[in-house]
Amino acid sequence: MAVPIVGLTGGIGAGKSTVAAILAELGARVIDADRIGHEVYRPGTEGFRRIVEAFGSGVVGADGSIDRRALGALVFADPAARARLNAIVHPLIVAELQRRLVAARAEDGPPIVIEAAIMLEAGWRGLVDRVWVVSTRPEHAIARVVASRELGPAEVERRLAAQMPDAERRRLADLVIGNDGDPAALRREVEKAWQTLVG
């Protein structure tokens, strides 16, 4: 039987990475699309060259790599800039995801989980067998992001507004994992979801 591939997504501050970590503990092979997104524009890559070409040398940090905060401030304030960035980065991420999926499938191991914030927005549904959405109330998302990153509430709200609405994500999901309770409640939800893959 084919190894199931799950697309794990959710808005900023929903708790996607926490859920991915629990799934990895349970045995899933997790592929982090956001990390791949950073790798495709490392210095010396085609992605790096094209981002500097599109946005100027102001997005290059003192260490010579792309300053993600500077780039984020640009693209979250301007939908056209965000579309330009996505047009550069998304095809590079998809190519690498497909390469890793082929390799993972060849090993015939446990279920594969692709953690991707933009799974649905980017139209990557076709890469996976089912979509799991981590969902939380906006006030919880804002509090989590303010606590874990150097972003103020207004900036987090702007980023939330730039994303697909949570209700739309939930509508497109095969399974919704609610993250409005305590860590133990979240773990129970994730374990229950995992059983649908391996049970």
Side-chain angles (χ1 to χ4, degrees), residues 12-182:
I12 185 171
K16 262 187 328 306
S17 298
T18 305
V19 170
I22 296 168
L23 287 167
E25 277 176 39
L26 293 170
R29 290 178 287 172
V30 177
I31 300 171
D32 184 345
D34 299 341
R35 183 171 293 148
I36 292 171
H38 304 152
E39 289 171 5
V40 299
Y41 56 72
R42 279 195 313 250
T45 61
E46 171 74 0
F48 179 91
R49 187 186 64 72
R50 291 180 57 196
I51 285 173
V52 175
E53 208 171 75
F55 299 100
S57 58
V59 298
V60 180
D63 65 352
S65 64
I66 298 293
D67 180 339
R68 287 177 41 222
R69 286 192 70 176
L71 185 62
L74 263 179
V75 302
F76 280 106
D78 179 358
R82 195 160 63 248
R84 200 155 71 242
L85 176 65
N86 291 345
I88 294 168
V89 175
H90 288 181
L92 298 172
I93 297 173
V94 167
E96 179 60 18
L97 279 174
Q98 287 172 325
R99 191 190 68 72
R100 292 192 192 190
L101 284 174
V102 166
R105 272 208 180 104
E107 289 169 13
D108 193 35
I112 300 161
V113 174
I114 298 175
E115 179 192 351
I118 53 164
M119 171 73 55
L120 298 170
E121 293 93 325
W124 296 348
R125 181 73 177 81
L127 290 174
V128 301
D129 302 313
R130 50 191 102 174
V131 171
W132 291 1
V133 168
V134 185
S135 178
T136 194
R137 292 203 293 272
E139 63 270 25
H140 291 163
I142 292 166
R144 284 189 195 116
V145 177
V146 168
S148 64
R149 303 191 204 175
E150 291 174 26
L151 294 174
E155 174 63 17
V156 180
E157 282 181 35
R158 188 156 63 246
R159 293 189 181 204
L160 278 170
Q163 295 182 338
M164 176 183 282
D166 202 50
E168 176 70 0
R169 245 191 239 104
R170 292 169 70 99
R171 192 181 65 75
L172 295 168
D174 296 299
L175 185 143
V176 175
I177 296 171
N179 187 18
D180 287 312
D182 61 18

Side-chain angles (χ1 to χ4, degrees), residues 175-179 184-194:
L175 185 143
V176 175
I177 296 171
N179 187 18
L186 177 63
R187 188 174 191 94
R188 283 194 299 274
E189 283 246 10
V190 176
E191 287 173 350
K192 199 164 70 186
W194 177 247

